[in-house]
Amino acid sequence: MTNNSTDHYSKFLLIWFGQFISIIGSGLTIFSLGVYVYQQTGTASSYVFILMCAFLPPFLLKPYGGILADSHDRRLMMIFGDLGSTLGLLFIFIMMLKGNIELWQIYLGIAISSIFSAFQDPAYKALITDLLPENQYAKASGLMQLASSAQYLISPFLAGIILTIMDIKFVFLIDVATFLIASSIVIWIRNTLGITQITKPVQNNMADLKEGIQEFSKNRGVINLVITTMFVLFFVGLLQSLIIPMLLNLTTVKAAGITQSICASGILIGSLFIGVFGNKNKYVKTLSISLFISGIFFANLGFSTNIAYVTLAGFLFFATLPFINTSIEVLIRKNIDNSKQGRVWSIISMVTYLGSIIAFAVAGFLADKIFNPLLEPEGLLSETAGSIIGVGESRGIALMFIISGLMISIIALLIWKNRKIKELENIEGQGSELSQNKYYVET
């Protein structure tokens, strides 16, 4: 490794550290605001709409953010995104200082911040190619993936503690501070290395998109696998939307944050197992078995009100996700032309993530208007399902988790029986080798 590449890698590590703490700060805000809104309203719908405001704008603006990241100085795009994201947080902070903040003001502030993040994130991910040689891509990507998981592994734990010792308004100031630190690091790096010269030629983006769609749609097995993954993500999206409202009816805010962090740490254990022992063949079998087991663990989240039992079930569920994600990625990579994988993966990402967006849109309504009323003391299922999982607040959400888990296990059996998906394993040589574990079954 040359001194120049070592120097650039050290600068990448500085940028990575800034984004790492910024992601933790964003996770603090999402968790804290979700708890605040749920405690104020007592409805799952109000909590879930926080997630909609946080995740929908980046989903819709993702293609435009990628185009800008390829045609402008990526470090400047990161600075613009980080500083812009503080505007929404400061808006919420000022409204809270005035008193009697309304829900729409919270939603607006979150939406403003997430819009700017849609332009920051693609530039950050593409920055690796600006700073590092190819032999350092995998290591840098692994660090970036670790940082992205901090929102689920670290933020809930910290937020649960912070909310017990200080007012929620200080959480916004902490988040703003993390954005300022991240942007300050990028500004310093940009001044040190100079402005990036944009050499990418002007391309027909619609033509590229059309070519990616054609490559994606020509393989029936890939289509079946991607659509199946979208349905899985719908049920996982219900978990992501409603786990905190359920936990807040079982325990304290602090314990809920710690529980969510422990559950998410299962991803690290599963990833470590794959890293040590590998997962080199029989991907359809691995996918089917892992998905079936994950559905069982998912369902167990709803069977008990004991917080230790719920935490264990959640941990085991998350531990299965790396096996599912790795199998899905390898099966698709083996069947997509390597020269077109960038375009195809962007399409696959949007199609699969649509499942989560739909879940966010309907989760609150399903919980508040259908399932929770069924398991109230006088509800229609209080003497049947209620005798098994209990009655009262949020037990309808528990029933939703049981049904969702069973549906995921059924999907696993369908994958096992799907001939087109099985054929994906027999095709060699089209795609690139697996270089990193991308969490396409996101939580």
Side-chain angles (χ1 to χ4, degrees):
M1 184 183 297
T2 65
N3 290 333
N4 185 57
S5 64
T6 302
D7 182 57
H8 279 205
Y9 189 74
S10 65
K11 288 180 170 57
F12 163 77
L13 287 178
L14 283 175
I15 294 175
W16 173 84
F17 174 74
Q19 297 303 312
F20 177 68
I21 62 174
S22 176
I23 289 170
I24 292 176
S26 298
L28 290 177
T29 295
I30 296 299
F31 181 90
S32 301
L33 273 179
V35 169
Y36 175 82
V37 167
Y38 185 73
Q39 289 179 333
Q40 294 297 313
T41 64
T43 64
S45 299
S46 59
Y47 172 84
V48 172
F49 204 71
I50 291 282
L51 299 181
M52 282 290 289
C53 292
F55 292 105
L56 184 58
F59 173 77
L60 296 176
L61 296 173
K62 188 174 183 178
Y64 303 101
I67 293 171
L68 290 174
D70 285 340
S71 57
H72 293 78
D73 188 325
R74 287 163 180 166
R75 282 163 280 177
L76 190 61
M77 290 292 299
M78 290 180 64
I79 296 167
F80 171 75
D82 282 333
L83 293 180
S85 294
T86 65
L87 298 178
L89 299 173
L90 291 174
F91 172 75
I92 299 175
F93 178 72
I94 293 171
M95 291 300 102
M96 280 194 169
L97 285 180
K98 289 183 175 181
N100 298 320
I101 187 171
E102 298 182 25
L103 284 179
W104 72 266
Q105 294 169 331
I106 294 176
Y107 297 144
L108 177 61
I110 291 295
I112 291 172
S113 289
S114 64
I115 286 172
F116 282 97
S117 72
F119 296 102
Q120 185 270 356
D121 188 60
Y124 171 46
K125 291 179 178 177
L127 189 66
I128 289 180
T129 56
D130 288 344
L131 290 178
L132 303 177
E134 187 174 348
N135 62 355
Q136 292 180 338
Y137 286 177
K139 183 163 57 173
S141 296
L143 287 173
M144 292 172 74
Q145 184 172 281
L146 174 63
S148 66
S149 66
Q151 182 175 348
Y152 308 104
L153 296 171
I154 300 175
S155 296
F157 175 83
L158 292 179
I161 296 174
I162 290 172
L163 290 176
T164 62
I165 60 178
M166 64 179 65
D167 190 81
I168 188 175
K169 290 190 287 291
F170 292 99
V171 173
F172 304 126
L173 295 181
I174 293 173
D175 196 3
V176 168
T178 64
F179 277 120
L180 293 178
I181 292 172
S183 58
S184 297
I185 291 174
V186 179
I187 290 172
W188 179 78
I189 296 294
R190 186 171 185 268
N191 290 336
T192 302
L193 297 180
I195 299 174
T196 302
Q197 298 297 317
I198 305 300
T199 59
K200 178 180 171 60
V202 177
Q203 296 182 352
N204 187 331
N205 293 304
M206 290 305 297
D208 285 347
L209 179 63
K210 182 179 179 180
E211 188 175 7
I213 293 174
Q214 290 175 341
E215 178 68 21
F216 165 69
S217 60
K218 74 180 185 181
N219 189 312
R220 180 68 64 177
V222 170
I223 294 174
N224 289 353
L225 184 58
V226 169
I227 297 300
T228 301
T229 304
M230 183 185 72
F231 281 107
V232 172
L233 275 173
F234 170 79
F235 295 111
V236 174
L238 294 179
L239 171 63
Q240 184 178 359
S241 304
L242 300 173
I243 184 66
I244 292 301
M246 188 184 80
L247 290 175
L248 290 176
N249 284 294
L250 298 179
T251 186
T252 64
V253 172
K254 180 179 178 180
I258 294 173
T259 294
Q260 186 175 357
S261 292
I262 293 174
C263 290
S265 67
I267 292 176
L268 294 181
I269 302 302
S271 298
L272 180 62
F273 185 93
I274 292 176
V276 173
F277 296 102
N279 180 30
K280 298 180 179 179
N281 50 37
K282 298 184 178 179
Y283 294 105
V284 174
K285 182 178 180 179
T286 300
L287 173 59
S288 301
I289 294 175
S290 301
L291 199 58
F292 183 86
I293 294 173
S294 74
I296 300 301
F297 292 144
F298 191 164
N300 272 271
L301 285 167
F303 276 112
S304 176
T305 58
N306 182 286
I307 195 65
Y309 184 92
V310 172
T311 303
L312 177 61
F315 174 84
L316 293 173
F317 168 75
F318 280 97
T320 63
L321 295 187
F323 297 92
I324 297 169
N325 297 324
T326 300
S327 300
I328 291 172
E329 180 176 338
V330 173
L331 288 171
I332 292 176
R333 282 189 183 276
K334 289 172 63 176
N335 291 271
I336 299 296
D337 187 337
N338 190 44
S339 64
K340 301 175 183 177
Q341 288 209 6
R343 283 159 285 183
V344 175
W345 276 117
S346 65
I347 294 167
I348 290 172
S349 178
M350 292 194 70
V351 171
T352 55
Y353 198 64
L354 183 62
S356 296
I357 296 297
I358 295 173
F360 295 161
V362 303
F365 173 81
L366 291 175
D368 293 332
K369 303 300 182 182
I370 299 178
F371 284 90
N372 279 341
L374 289 175
L375 284 167
E376 290 176 350
E378 302 298 326
L380 290 176
L381 299 181
S382 60
E383 295 183 0
T384 52
S387 64
I388 300 174
I389 66 175
V391 296
E393 292 186 60
S394 82
R395 298 320 293 161
I397 294 175
L399 179 59
M400 290 177 65
F401 287 173
I402 293 172
I403 294 173
S404 297
L406 295 177
M407 290 302 298
I408 287 178
S409 293
I410 291 172
I411 290 173
L413 297 177
L414 295 177
I415 290 176
W416 179 257
K417 294 293 185 179
N418 190 297
R419 182 173 57 84
K420 292 295 182 181
I421 293 179
K422 284 185 174 181
E423 289 175 356
L424 296 178
E425 198 154 37
N426 300 323
I427 300 177
E428 300 286 349
Q430 286 193 39
S432 64
E433 303 228 350
L434 177 65
S435 59
Q436 55 178 315
N437 179 25
K438 302 179 187 295
Y439 296 109
Y440 292 107
V441 182
E442 298 186 26
T443 56

